[in-house]
Amino acid sequence: MVAAGGGGYDYSSDGNAIPAGSGDGLKGFDGNGKGGNQTSGGDGYYKGFFGLGGGNGERLNAYRTPDGNAGGGGGYFGGGTSNIIAGGSAGGGSSYISGYPGCISVDKDYTENNPKFSTTEDPSIHYSGIKFENPVMIDGKSPMPSPSLNVSIPEFGHLGNGHVIISTAEKYDYPYFSQITAIPYKVKCSIPLKIGRNFDVFFTLSIVFLSLG
C-alpha cells in the first residue's frame, strides 16, 4: 500500500499562481508538472520516478540562484516538476493498493533501468500475493477520515506524515465511520528504493495476528 503525496506549490515564470497537483488514486493530479501514474513518474524538468517525486533539491533556477521550481509529490510513482526550471508548481504522486482495480504492481525484479510489471491475470496484486479486500482509495481533494481515532471530523487530504490504520469498520454515510476498532499492531513503513522491498517484523506480526483473528 502506498499513499500519494501532493506536489509543491510555486509561482510560474509569468508570475501567475498555479495550484500544485494533489496526490491522487491511480494517477496524480497535474500542476505545471504532470502527475505520476501506475507505471511511470510524471513528466517535467525533473521527472518523477518509482517511490519519489522529481526534485530540484536546492531550489535553483537556470542562473544557479535560489528560487527554482517546486518538487513533485511522492507516492507509488512520483509527480514531475514544472518544465521551466525558474518556477512553477509540481504534479502529485499516484497511489497503490494491492488488489485495487486499475493498479499495476511492479515485478519483484523491477529496477529503474529495467522496469518490469506484473503480467499475471490480476496485475493489481503485489508479487507477495498479499492483497486487500474491498479497498477504498481517496484522493487528496476529497474528504477522508482523520488518522486520529478520537477525531470524527473528516479532513480534505492530509498534512504531515503518511498513516495506515488496519481495522474493522462499519461504514455509513460516506466519508464518516460509525465504528472503528483499531487493531493495536503498528505497521512500519519504509522507502523501497533505500531500504528494499521487504516486509519488516511489525508488518509480519500484523499479518499473523490478522490471520489468527
Side-chain angles (χ1 to χ4, degrees):
M1 176 193 295
V2 183
Y9 169 84
D10 191 28
Y11 284 90
S12 64
S13 59
D14 59 9
N16 292 320
I18 304 296
S22 298
D24 197 359
L26 299 178
K27 181 186 181 301
F29 287 106
D30 295 338
N32 290 114
K34 300 297 183 181
N37 56 47
Q38 291 297 297
T39 57
S40 64
D43 286 334
Y45 192 93
Y46 297 98
K47 295 183 178 181
F49 51 100
F50 179 50
L52 296 171
N56 181 358
E58 298 180 358
R59 290 295 306 275
L60 300 178
N61 64 23
Y63 301 101
R64 307 301 295 172
T65 55
D67 198 24
N69 56 21
Y76 185 49
F77 281 89
T81 69
S82 166
N83 279 310
I84 302 171
I85 192 173
S89 297
S94 61
S95 298
Y96 168 82
I97 302 175
S98 179
Y100 187 86
C103 283
I104 301 175
S105 177
V106 295
D107 186 81
K108 64 180 179 179
D109 296 321
Y110 178 97
T111 66
E112 285 297 317
N113 294 326
N114 187 24
K116 294 182 178 181
F117 297 90
S118 173
T119 57
T120 61
E121 182 177 353
D122 185 351
S124 72
I125 299 175
H126 189 263
Y127 56 79
S128 65
I130 296 173
K131 66 176 182 177
F132 292 87
E133 298 290 341
N134 303 315
V136 176
M137 194 179 285
I138 305 174
D139 66 64
K141 291 185 177 181
S142 301
M144 62 184 68
S146 168
S148 299
L149 296 180
N150 60 347
V151 177
S152 60
I153 300 175
E155 55 186 18
F156 281 80
H158 177 71
L159 179 65
N161 295 325
H163 292 267
V164 57
I165 298 173
I166 299 176
S167 66
T168 58
E170 179 184 344
K171 181 179 176 183
Y172 80 103
D173 192 21
Y174 173 84
Y176 298 95
F177 289 90
S178 62
Q179 178 183 353
I180 296 180
T181 305
I183 298 169
Y185 294 100
K186 180 180 179 182
V187 176
K188 185 178 179 183
C189 301
S190 61
I191 299 175
L193 290 178
K194 293 185 177 180
I195 301 177
R197 297 185 292 273
N198 298 312
F199 295 125
D200 56 52
V201 175
F202 290 119
F203 188 85
T204 304
L205 285 174
S206 298
I207 296 299
V208 170
F209 280 100
L210 281 171
S211 63
L212 291 176

